[in-house]
Amino acid sequence: MRNIFKKIAYLEKDIYWLFHELLKSDKMDNVNGQPNPAPLASLDQWEDDLLERYPDPANINKEKSKTEFRNYEAPPRDTVKEFYRLNHTYQSYAFVKQKEQEFLSFNKREMSVWEAFDFLNQLVDDSDPDTDLDQFQHLLQTSEAIRADGHPDWMVLTGLFHDMGKVLCLFGEPQWAVVGDTFPVGCAFSDKIVFPEFFKNNPDINNPDYNTKYGVYEPNCGLDKVHLSWGHDEYIYQMMKPHLPEPALYMLRYHSFYPQHREHAYGHLMNAHDVEMFKWVDLFNPYDLYSKSPTPPDWKVLKPYYEDLVAKYLPSTLKF
């Protein structure tokens, strides 16, 4: 059954991409004038772009050198730029609040952890140059890299779950509202955000309530009071909030917040506790970006360990 789902996913992806190319030729987002849901050829192209922007494997990947990542004949910059054009145009304060209300009630579906991974694997994509493994195997490589370095088991579980929020795509969300660098909304957009020029069409850019340095926030109010652009980070953070320790929750919630943990653009909104906890975010991120390897994990060997680990921290089913 899983192989049938994969074949269907491949066919749907090909049709979807062809349709997108036709739309691009007409310089439209889609037939209704709404944002195109799939500007990237692969959900992983955003992470591939990060490898290009931040090429520092930090010695995590033992099988591939730094120069072997991003092995495209020509980097797909046009598709990545189109992705961020849509992302920066539509990720407004009102949009984020709407999505929080829509999805954080977790009333779409209830699944066991292992059913959820099978569901996630419908997003398998064979266009990623760094791996042809499915979503679960990428997550397993991340968690195994963390485990190999002797980190606590809750951090291993964090690696396994950090991209689970991509199931939002299977609930009809466009890619630009699922992946991508995250950033605060409700205050001025930093020029340290990738492709800042695309914010020119965001409805918040001329709103005096939202376009100042602090906007709706107070100086050093703490990131727990700040709304970031909507995506898989916030979604999985909220889902795991009752189950994992605070360092793990920071890793989940802020692993895509590159304007801060790489560019340090929003320190004026952080408090002392955020600064301390971001040490965990900095520790986690290289395992996500640089653990990809062509060697698949041996799930038969690893399965008992992960079944015990999941049972230790999580209930038998999760609400999505």
Side-chain angles (χ1 to χ4, degrees):
M1 180 64 69
R2 181 170 169 180
N3 287 334
I4 293 174
F5 277 136
K6 287 185 179 181
K7 291 177 181 178
I8 293 172
Y10 287 140
L11 179 60
E12 288 179 342
K13 177 196 69 180
D14 292 340
I15 295 171
Y16 210 86
W17 181 241
L18 176 60
F19 183 59
H20 166 63
E21 289 299 304
L22 290 173
L23 291 174
K24 279 207 314 182
S25 68
D26 289 334
K27 299 181 179 180
M28 294 173 58
D29 285 343
N30 68 23
V31 292
N32 296 315
Q34 297 299 314
N36 191 322
L40 301 180
S42 164
L43 282 174
D44 293 325
Q45 276 190 6
W46 162 60
E47 289 184 348
D48 298 333
D49 180 65
L50 290 175
L51 291 171
E52 185 177 73
R53 282 188 275 145
Y54 305 113
D56 183 10
N59 298 319
I60 288 173
N61 191 289
K62 310 299 183 184
E63 298 182 30
K64 296 176 72 174
S65 70
K66 178 167 145 180
T67 57
E68 289 180 285
F69 285 100
R70 291 292 302 151
N71 190 23
Y72 281 109
E73 291 184 6
R77 302 297 296 172
D78 289 343
T79 54
V80 172
K81 288 181 71 172
E82 172 64 4
F83 169 90
Y84 278 109
R85 182 187 72 80
L86 295 170
N87 178 277
H88 292 358
T89 297
Y90 296 103
Q91 287 272 7
S92 66
Y93 186 74
F95 174 84
V96 170
K97 296 283 283 185
Q98 173 197 340
K99 290 301 176 181
E100 290 173 349
Q101 184 175 6
E102 180 181 355
F103 284 102
L104 297 186
S105 56
F106 297 107
N107 59 4
K108 306 297 182 187
R109 186 166 178 171
E110 186 168 352
M111 297 177 278
S112 73
V113 167
W114 310 113
E115 289 171 333
F117 281 124
D118 283 341
F119 186 54
L120 182 66
N121 273 345
Q122 294 180 43
L123 292 173
V124 169
D125 195 300
D126 60 359
S127 63
D128 181 354
D130 291 330
T131 180
D132 59 1
L133 304 181
D134 61 32
Q135 295 288 323
F136 177 65
Q137 289 173 313
H138 161 58
L139 296 177
L140 197 59
Q141 286 186 335
T142 303
S143 60
E144 278 296 286
I146 292 169
R147 184 159 77 119
D149 281 354
H151 294 298
D153 63 357
W154 55 258
M155 186 172 170
V156 177
L157 190 64
T158 302
L160 189 68
F161 269 78
H162 75 279
D163 277 347
M164 177 61 78
K166 289 182 181 180
V167 299
L168 287 167
C169 282
L170 298 171
F171 296 139
E173 287 299 275
Q175 292 177 9
W176 56 262
V178 176
V179 297
D181 294 16
T182 57
F183 48 85
V185 294
C187 61
F189 301 115
S190 170
D191 62 4
K192 298 295 185 182
I193 302 170
V194 63
F195 301 121
E197 64 271 20
F198 291 138
F199 285 113
K200 64 183 179 182
N201 293 321
N202 189 293
D204 293 351
I205 198 74
N206 295 315
N207 188 326
D209 292 332
Y210 303 143
N211 64 7
T212 62
K213 181 177 180 179
Y214 293 101
V216 300
Y217 311 114
E218 298 293 331
N220 302 112
C221 59
L223 291 179
D224 61 324
K225 296 182 174 64
V226 175
H227 296 273
L228 297 190
S229 52
W230 176 250
H232 72 287
D233 303 52
E234 183 69 16
Y235 181 70
I236 194 60
Y237 156 74
Q238 294 287 353
M239 187 185 299
M240 293 291 108
K241 196 173 179 180
H243 308 300
L244 293 178
E246 189 178 25
L249 297 176
Y250 263 78
M251 294 172 185
L252 293 175
R253 196 177 201 182
Y254 300 116
H255 71 272
S256 303
F257 189 15
Y258 285 87
Q260 178 52 38
H261 61 69
R262 290 298 182 101
E263 304 294 346
H264 309 291
Y266 288 97
H268 56 283
L269 297 178
M270 298 173 67
N271 58 26
H273 186 64
D274 291 327
V275 172
E276 185 64 25
M277 295 304 293
F278 258 58
K279 295 176 182 177
W280 290 103
V281 181
D282 293 337
L283 175 65
F284 173 80
N285 272 70
Y287 291 103
D288 177 18
L289 289 181
Y290 305 113
S291 60
K292 290 180 180 179
S293 166
T295 304
D298 189 340
W299 176 237
K300 290 182 179 179
V301 173
L302 298 175
K303 184 177 179 180
Y305 169 81
Y306 282 97
E307 286 181 333
D308 289 344
L309 181 61
V310 166
K312 177 179 177 179
Y313 286 98
L314 302 178
S316 58
T317 62
L318 294 171
K319 293 182 178 181
F320 289 80

mmCIF file of all heavy atoms in Angstrom, residues 170-195:
data_model
loop_
_atom_site.group_PDB
_atom_site.id
_atom_site.type_symbol
_atom_site.label_atom_id
_atom_site.label_comp_id
_atom_site.label_asym_id
_atom_site.label_seq_id
_atom_site.Cartn_x
_atom_site.Cartn_y
_atom_site.Cartn_z
ATOM 1 N N LEU A 170 -0.094 18.238 2.889
ATOM 2 C CA LEU A 170 -1.100 17.229 2.590
ATOM 3 C C LEU A 170 -2.486 17.655 3.051
ATOM 4 O O LEU A 170 -3.475 16.992 2.737
ATOM 5 C CB LEU A 170 -0.698 15.900 3.230
ATOM 6 C CG LEU A 170 0.624 15.320 2.727
ATOM 7 C CD1 LEU A 170 1.053 14.127 3.556
ATOM 8 C CD2 LEU A 170 0.519 14.939 1.263
ATOM 9 N N PHE A 171 -2.565 18.733 3.804
ATOM 10 C CA PHE A 171 -3.847 19.325 4.183
ATOM 11 C C PHE A 171 -4.191 20.511 3.287
ATOM 12 O O PHE A 171 -5.072 21.306 3.609
ATOM 13 C CB PHE A 171 -3.823 19.771 5.644
ATOM 14 C CG PHE A 171 -3.648 18.654 6.632
ATOM 15 C CD1 PHE A 171 -2.820 18.803 7.732
ATOM 16 C CD2 PHE A 171 -4.303 17.450 6.470
ATOM 17 C CE1 PHE A 171 -2.655 17.784 8.655
ATOM 18 C CE2 PHE A 171 -4.142 16.409 7.378
ATOM 19 C CZ PHE A 171 -3.324 16.581 8.480
ATOM 20 N N GLY A 172 -3.475 20.649 2.174
ATOM 21 C CA GLY A 172 -3.803 21.657 1.182
ATOM 22 C C GLY A 172 -3.056 22.965 1.301
ATOM 23 O O GLY A 172 -3.322 23.903 0.541
ATOM 24 N N GLU A 173 -2.080 23.058 2.204
ATOM 25 C CA GLU A 173 -1.337 24.304 2.352
ATOM 26 C C GLU A 173 -0.298 24.460 1.240
ATOM 27 O O GLU A 173 0.361 23.490 0.858
ATOM 28 C CB GLU A 173 -0.621 24.343 3.708
ATOM 29 C CG GLU A 173 -1.556 24.562 4.882
ATOM 30 C CD GLU A 173 -2.289 25.888 4.763
ATOM 31 O OE1 GLU A 173 -1.736 26.924 5.177
ATOM 32 O OE2 GLU A 173 -3.426 25.894 4.251
ATOM 33 N N PRO A 174 -0.127 25.669 0.694
ATOM 34 C CA PRO A 174 0.901 25.894 -0.319
ATOM 35 C C PRO A 174 2.294 25.804 0.287
ATOM 36 O O PRO A 174 2.481 26.013 1.497
ATOM 37 C CB PRO A 174 0.609 27.319 -0.812
ATOM 38 C CG PRO A 174 -0.065 27.977 0.352
ATOM 39 C CD PRO A 174 -0.872 26.901 1.019
ATOM 40 N N GLN A 175 3.269 25.493 -0.530
ATOM 41 C CA GLN A 175 4.638 25.313 -0.033
ATOM 42 C C GLN A 175 5.148 26.549 0.704
ATOM 43 O O GLN A 175 5.843 26.428 1.721
ATOM 44 C CB GLN A 175 5.570 24.982 -1.200
ATOM 45 C CG GLN A 175 5.324 23.634 -1.828
ATOM 46 C CD GLN A 175 6.236 23.396 -3.021
ATOM 47 O OE1 GLN A 175 7.164 24.163 -3.271
ATOM 48 N NE2 GLN A 175 5.981 22.342 -3.766
ATOM 49 N N TRP A 176 4.829 27.742 0.196
ATOM 50 C CA TRP A 176 5.358 28.954 0.821
ATOM 51 C C TRP A 176 4.771 29.196 2.207
ATOM 52 O O TRP A 176 5.260 30.052 2.941
ATOM 53 C CB TRP A 176 5.129 30.175 -0.089
ATOM 54 C CG TRP A 176 3.699 30.408 -0.489
ATOM 55 C CD1 TRP A 176 3.108 30.025 -1.662
ATOM 56 C CD2 TRP A 176 2.689 31.067 0.277
ATOM 57 N NE1 TRP A 176 1.784 30.404 -1.665
ATOM 58 C CE2 TRP A 176 1.509 31.047 -0.491
ATOM 59 C CE3 TRP A 176 2.673 31.679 1.539
ATOM 60 C CZ2 TRP A 176 0.310 31.609 -0.042
ATOM 61 C CZ3 TRP A 176 1.481 32.237 1.988
ATOM 62 C CH2 TRP A 176 0.316 32.201 1.190
ATOM 63 N N ALA A 177 3.747 28.429 2.585
ATOM 64 C CA ALA A 177 3.183 28.509 3.930
ATOM 65 C C ALA A 177 3.539 27.277 4.754
ATOM 66 O O ALA A 177 2.927 27.025 5.801
ATOM 67 C CB ALA A 177 1.668 28.676 3.859
ATOM 68 N N VAL A 178 4.530 26.511 4.312
ATOM 69 C CA VAL A 178 4.943 25.298 5.026
ATOM 70 C C VAL A 178 6.442 25.321 5.321
ATOM 71 O O VAL A 178 6.867 25.029 6.441
ATOM 72 C CB VAL A 178 4.573 24.036 4.221
ATOM 73 C CG1 VAL A 178 5.099 22.774 4.919
ATOM 74 C CG2 VAL A 178 3.058 23.946 4.043
ATOM 75 N N VAL A 179 7.262 25.630 4.315
ATOM 76 C CA VAL A 179 8.709 25.687 4.508
ATOM 77 C C VAL A 179 9.193 27.110 4.215
ATOM 78 O O VAL A 179 8.417 27.987 3.865
ATOM 79 C CB VAL A 179 9.441 24.662 3.628
ATOM 80 C CG1 VAL A 179 9.035 23.252 4.000
ATOM 81 C CG2 VAL A 179 9.186 24.917 2.149
ATOM 82 N N GLY A 180 10.489 27.305 4.355
ATOM 83 C CA GLY A 180 11.078 28.623 4.122
ATOM 84 C C GLY A 180 11.625 29.216 5.408
ATOM 85 O O GLY A 180 11.218 28.839 6.510
ATOM 86 N N ASP A 181 12.569 30.136 5.280
ATOM 87 C CA ASP A 181 13.084 30.852 6.450
ATOM 88 C C ASP A 181 11.925 31.574 7.123
ATOM 89 O O ASP A 181 11.124 32.236 6.456
ATOM 90 C CB ASP A 181 14.125 31.888 6.033
ATOM 91 C CG ASP A 181 15.388 31.274 5.456
ATOM 92 O OD1 ASP A 181 15.362 30.085 5.095
ATOM 93 O OD2 ASP A 181 16.397 31.997 5.365
ATOM 94 N N THR A 182 11.838 31.472 8.436
ATOM 95 C CA THR A 182 10.784 32.164 9.161
ATOM 96 C C THR A 182 11.278 33.511 9.676
ATOM 97 O O THR A 182 12.487 33.739 9.816
ATOM 98 C CB THR A 182 10.267 31.317 10.330
ATOM 99 O OG1 THR A 182 11.352 30.994 11.207
ATOM 100 C CG2 THR A 182 9.619 30.039 9.822
ATOM 101 N N PHE A 183 10.336 34.414 9.966
ATOM 102 C CA PHE A 183 10.662 35.774 10.393
ATOM 103 C C PHE A 183 9.459 36.342 11.136
ATOM 104 O O PHE A 183 8.319 35.905 10.924
ATOM 105 C CB PHE A 183 10.992 36.647 9.173
ATOM 106 C CG PHE A 183 9.984 36.536 8.060
ATOM 107 C CD1 PHE A 183 8.826 37.300 8.047
ATOM 108 C CD2 PHE A 183 10.185 35.628 7.023
ATOM 109 C CE1 PHE A 183 7.889 37.183 7.040
ATOM 110 C CE2 PHE A 183 9.244 35.496 5.996
ATOM 111 C CZ PHE A 183 8.090 36.275 6.013
ATOM 112 N N PRO A 184 9.669 37.323 12.024
ATOM 113 C CA PRO A 184 8.545 37.916 12.744
ATOM 114 C C PRO A 184 7.610 38.682 11.807
ATOM 115 O O PRO A 184 8.060 39.324 10.853
ATOM 116 C CB PRO A 184 9.215 38.875 13.726
ATOM 117 C CG PRO A 184 10.592 38.323 13.910
ATOM 118 C CD PRO A 184 10.962 37.772 12.555
ATOM 119 N N VAL A 185 6.335 38.598 12.086
ATOM 120 C CA VAL A 185 5.338 39.462 11.455
ATOM 121 C C VAL A 185 4.767 40.354 12.545
ATOM 122 O O VAL A 185 4.837 40.046 13.723
ATOM 123 C CB VAL A 185 4.222 38.652 10.764
ATOM 124 C CG1 VAL A 185 4.778 37.863 9.593
ATOM 125 C CG2 VAL A 185 3.522 37.721 11.755
ATOM 126 N N GLY A 186 4.215 41.486 12.141
ATOM 127 C CA GLY A 186 3.704 42.441 13.113
ATOM 128 C C GLY A 186 4.707 43.503 13.481
ATOM 129 O O GLY A 186 4.448 44.336 14.361
ATOM 130 N N CYS A 187 5.863 43.489 12.821
ATOM 131 C CA CYS A 187 6.887 44.520 13.005
ATOM 132 C C CYS A 187 7.659 44.633 11.692
ATOM 133 O O CYS A 187 7.412 43.870 10.755
ATOM 134 C CB CYS A 187 7.822 44.190 14.171
ATOM 135 S SG CYS A 187 8.749 42.661 13.968
ATOM 136 N N ALA A 188 8.590 45.565 11.625
ATOM 137 C CA ALA A 188 9.315 45.811 10.375
ATOM 138 C C ALA A 188 10.081 44.567 9.926
ATOM 139 O O ALA A 188 10.665 43.851 10.742
ATOM 140 C CB ALA A 188 10.271 46.981 10.557
ATOM 141 N N PHE A 189 10.062 44.324 8.627
ATOM 142 C CA PHE A 189 10.819 43.212 8.053
ATOM 143 C C PHE A 189 12.289 43.616 7.946
ATOM 144 O O PHE A 189 12.629 44.657 7.385
ATOM 145 C CB PHE A 189 10.286 42.860 6.671
ATOM 146 C CG PHE A 189 8.836 42.463 6.651
ATOM 147 C CD1 PHE A 189 7.897 43.246 5.992
ATOM 148 C CD2 PHE A 189 8.406 41.306 7.284
ATOM 149 C CE1 PHE A 189 6.562 42.886 5.961
ATOM 150 C CE2 PHE A 189 7.070 40.941 7.266
ATOM 151 C CZ PHE A 189 6.141 41.733 6.608
ATOM 152 N N SER A 190 13.168 42.782 8.470
ATOM 153 C CA SER A 190 14.598 43.076 8.431
ATOM 154 C C SER A 190 15.162 42.888 7.028
ATOM 155 O O SER A 190 14.737 41.994 6.277
ATOM 156 C CB SER A 190 15.342 42.154 9.392
ATOM 157 O OG SER A 190 16.737 42.262 9.216
ATOM 158 N N ASP A 191 16.144 43.706 6.678
ATOM 159 C CA ASP A 191 16.828 43.512 5.395
ATOM 160 C C ASP A 191 17.787 42.332 5.442
ATOM 161 O O ASP A 191 18.431 42.010 4.443
ATOM 162 C CB ASP A 191 17.552 44.789 4.965
ATOM 163 C CG ASP A 191 18.639 45.237 5.933
ATOM 164 O OD1 ASP A 191 18.904 44.518 6.929
ATOM 165 O OD2 ASP A 191 19.230 46.307 5.708
ATOM 166 N N LYS A 192 17.902 41.670 6.597
ATOM 167 C CA LYS A 192 18.709 40.462 6.718
ATOM 168 C C LYS A 192 17.933 39.208 6.307
ATOM 169 O O LYS A 192 18.511 38.128 6.205
ATOM 170 C CB LYS A 192 19.200 40.296 8.160
ATOM 171 C CG LYS A 192 20.106 41.410 8.650
ATOM 172 C CD LYS A 192 21.410 41.468 7.883
ATOM 173 C CE LYS A 192 22.356 42.507 8.480
ATOM 174 N NZ LYS A 192 23.618 42.596 7.712
ATOM 175 N N ILE A 193 16.618 39.336 6.101
ATOM 176 C CA ILE A 193 15.824 38.216 5.615
ATOM 177 C C ILE A 193 16.172 37.991 4.149
ATOM 178 O O ILE A 193 16.369 38.943 3.386
ATOM 179 C CB ILE A 193 14.318 38.504 5.761
ATOM 180 C CG1 ILE A 193 13.964 38.784 7.227
ATOM 181 C CG2 ILE A 193 13.490 37.329 5.248
ATOM 182 C CD1 ILE A 193 12.558 39.307 7.422
ATOM 183 N N VAL A 194 16.261 36.746 3.726
ATOM 184 C CA VAL A 194 16.601 36.451 2.340
ATOM 185 C C VAL A 194 15.579 37.087 1.400
ATOM 186 O O VAL A 194 14.378 37.077 1.667
ATOM 187 C CB VAL A 194 16.695 34.924 2.121
ATOM 188 C CG1 VAL A 194 15.366 34.223 2.361
ATOM 189 C CG2 VAL A 194 17.245 34.603 0.743
ATOM 190 N N PHE A 195 16.045 37.675 0.297
ATOM 191 C CA PHE A 195 15.218 38.353 -0.687
ATOM 192 C C PHE A 195 14.285 39.393 -0.064
ATOM 193 O O PHE A 195 13.059 39.362 -0.294
ATOM 194 C CB PHE A 195 14.399 37.349 -1.512
ATOM 195 C CG PHE A 195 15.231 36.352 -2.268
ATOM 196 C CD1 PHE A 195 15.088 34.991 -2.041
ATOM 197 C CD2 PHE A 195 16.158 36.775 -3.207
ATOM 198 C CE1 PHE A 195 15.855 34.062 -2.738
ATOM 199 C CE2 PHE A 195 16.928 35.847 -3.920
ATOM 200 C CZ PHE A 195 16.781 34.498 -3.680
#
